Amino acid sequence: MDNVPETTLTALFASAAEATSWQRTNLGFSTEIWHAGYVWTVRVPQGSGAAYLAGRGGYGGDESFYIEATATETIGIVEAAMAATRIR
């Protein structure tokens, strides 16, 4: 899994499903999560597709990934992104 332990992926996708700060970009919705000394980026692509871990940044530099969330994880992440960006 590209040097990312399964337990870390599970924690990151669970945190993304609870995130309240999302940004709309040309790649879709994006959120940043602080975990284990890194800032991780999780994205929900425009249109359709699974949410995915896009990368991490830290003291040693940045690293890009494309690790997809499961369908169940994606549902929670999409709901969080939609709730956070809904116009009230």
Side-chain angles (χ1 to χ4, degrees):
M1 287 279 176
D2 290 299
N3 303 334
V4 181
E6 190 66 35
T7 54
T8 300
L9 287 175
T10 300
L12 291 170
F13 292 139
S15 293
E18 296 176 4
T20 58
S21 177
W22 288 83
Q23 298 78 39
R24 186 184 309 254
T25 70
N26 62 335
L27 299 174
F29 291 104
S30 179
T31 192
E32 292 183 340
I33 299 162
W34 292 80
H35 179 78
Y38 293 98
V39 179
W40 303 80
T41 302
V42 175
R43 289 200 175 106
V44 175
Q46 287 185 341
S48 63
Y52 63 96
L53 176 63
R56 68 181 177 188
Y59 179 72
D62 296 331
E63 208 172 349
S64 296
F65 298 111
Y66 186 90
I67 304 173
E68 289 187 351
T70 65
T72 303
E73 291 167 330
T74 294
I75 290 169
I77 294 167
V78 168
E79 287 176 355
M82 294 297 106
T85 58
R86 186 173 294 126
I87 297 174
R88 299 180 199 280

